[in-house]
Amino acid sequence: MSQLATHHDEHAITVPAPAGAVYDVIADVTRWPFTFTPTVHAERLEQTGDEELIRLWALANDEVKTWTSRRVLDRAGHRVRFRQEVSQPPVAAMGGEWVLEPVSERETRVLLKHDFQAVGDDPAGVDWIRKAVDRNSLAELDRLKHAAEAAGDLAELTVSFEDAIRIDGGIDDVYEFLYAATEWPRRLPHVARLDLAEDVPGIQVMEMDTTAADGSVHTTRSVRVCFPNSRIVYKQTEVPALMSAHVGEWSLRAEGGAVTAASRHTVMIKRDAVTAVLGEGATVRKARDFVRQALGGNSMTTLEHAKAFAESRGRG
């Protein structure tokens, strides 16, 4: 069997933050969906000392791909090495590392290195991978710079909350209601339109028009990763003007013959959009309250309709 050709790529940026602060952003993979534009969902599957096994779902050339990687975290050396253990075509193998080079106490040079092989050495596959690596690396480095710069404002700008409801019905019926989003315009009063594609089972790409209390309509685009009868995690890839990031989760837990259904949101407020959206004199605190009320209200409406749906199924 012939050896596949290995290709290399490297991208760099200078970040106005200490190396330790930059390292923290890279090391905490659970925050990547909130931090990095291409990442839809991330899970830490195993962790032993400075090694961890992670699974990522991310946009690559506008397609949703998933893979599993082993990472070695080296805080003292300012490095994070990664190697895919399970790849998805056209990628046959991929690895690399983040290298942080302190320029000063307040500035860090970041190198993001990749090496990869394409299935069958297909030139079209090589081009596809290189384009995806270039596109995602540039986006990640840009968002890394933004996250490091905004680290001091993170607590003020981040809104995170959860609402839950008890449902006396079957967990499969509750999940069906949340999963079958194509039915939402008929089932939910705040959903005016919804287009959904599921080319890969369990991965949904959807565009939705939501009607606000004042009658205005807001269009959002999301990618959802579905885990049957357990949870649906999602990331909005096109967010309302007041936000710079929004990730969420629907989670289900069976207990005592009933189901606890919860909705969780994490949002980053876009500071420079606050007055444009909410009016002159509006503050970040007002924006936080507005987001909590708007998203929480829609989520609770969805959960209440899911409750009615599942409980009517149980009675039937």
Side-chain angles (χ1 to χ4, degrees):
M1 181 179 294
S2 61
Q3 183 73 28
L4 296 176
T6 300
H7 306 268
H8 298 269
D9 216 337
E10 182 175 310
H11 300 80
I13 196 171
T14 299
V15 177
V22 179
Y23 177 89
D24 288 341
V25 176
I26 297 168
D28 187 1
V29 74
T30 63
R31 287 189 60 84
W32 279 23
F34 190 61
T35 304
F36 293 143
T37 307
T39 307
V40 173
H41 182 57
E43 295 189 352
R44 183 179 288 117
L45 305 178
E46 301 172 6
Q47 185 165 24
T48 304
D50 292 330
E51 290 194 19
E52 63 181 9
L53 184 66
I54 63 172
R55 186 175 181 187
L56 295 175
W57 288 258
L59 290 167
N61 295 334
D62 299 320
E63 298 177 33
V64 182
K65 298 289 187 179
T66 182
W67 62 89
T68 302
S69 292
R70 179 77 57 182
R71 300 208 307 169
V72 178
L73 308 176
D74 181 3
R75 176 177 290 276
H78 297 140
R79 292 174 180 264
V80 176
R81 300 178 180 86
F82 56 89
R83 180 68 52 187
Q84 291 186 7
E85 293 193 348
V86 178
S87 302
Q88 188 172 356
V91 176
M94 181 174 290
E97 62 180 336
W98 297 83
V99 181
L100 311 184
E101 301 174 345
V103 177
S104 68
E105 292 183 358
R106 299 183 179 180
E107 196 171 51
T108 305
R109 182 72 169 166
V110 181
L111 302 178
L112 177 52
K113 302 179 180 182
H114 287 89
D115 60 78
F116 64 87
Q117 298 173 337
V119 174
D121 273 335
D122 179 19
V126 173
D127 289 344
W128 190 97
I129 297 167
R130 191 176 298 281
K131 179 181 176 182
V133 168
D134 286 344
R135 189 172 174 180
N136 283 11
S137 295
L138 291 172
E140 288 168 355
L141 290 173
D142 177 70
R143 295 305 299 173
L144 176 64
K145 181 175 183 289
H146 175 81
E149 288 176 331
D153 294 331
L154 193 62
E156 181 187 12
L157 297 177
T158 302
V159 183
S160 187
F161 62 92
E162 178 179 306
D163 295 306
I165 192 171
R166 175 186 169 91
I167 300 174
D168 294 316
I171 196 169
D172 51 343
D173 291 326
V174 182
Y175 179 81
E176 178 185 335
F177 187 94
L178 298 173
Y179 171 78
T182 51
E183 298 294 325
W184 285 5
R186 182 172 63 86
R187 292 174 172 172
L188 296 174
H190 61 279
V191 178
R193 179 188 65 88
L194 193 146
D195 296 327
L196 185 145
E198 189 172 352
D199 298 331
V200 177
I203 297 179
Q204 300 179 335
V205 179
M206 72 184 200
E207 181 177 284
M208 180 171 63
D209 289 346
T210 303
T211 305
D214 62 3
S216 60
V217 177
H218 303 273
T219 300
T220 58
R221 291 182 177 85
S222 303
V223 177
R224 307 205 309 172
V225 181
C226 305
F227 302 88
N229 292 351
S230 172
R231 59 198 171 110
I232 297 173
V233 297
Y234 60 89
K235 175 175 181 171
Q236 286 191 345
T237 55
E238 181 174 318
V239 296
L242 191 58
M243 308 174 192
S244 58
H246 177 201
V247 297
E249 177 179 357
W250 302 98
S251 63
L252 307 177
R253 185 176 72 254
E255 51 187 3
V259 176
T260 297
S263 170
R264 183 177 299 111
H265 297 271
T266 301
V267 171
M268 174 74 80
I269 300 295
K270 187 184 295 184
R271 186 186 295 277
D272 59 10
V274 172
T275 56
V277 175
L278 300 180
E280 199 66 34
T283 63
V284 170
R285 178 54 186 267
K286 182 177 180 179
R288 291 169 57 90
D289 293 343
F290 178 85
V291 165
R292 174 66 176 95
Q293 182 177 8
L295 292 181
N298 285 348
S299 293
M300 281 306 300
T301 297
T302 302
L303 290 175
E304 287 163 358
H305 280 74
K307 174 182 173 72
F309 175 84
E311 291 181 348
S312 67
R313 284 279 187 93
R315 290 191 294 270

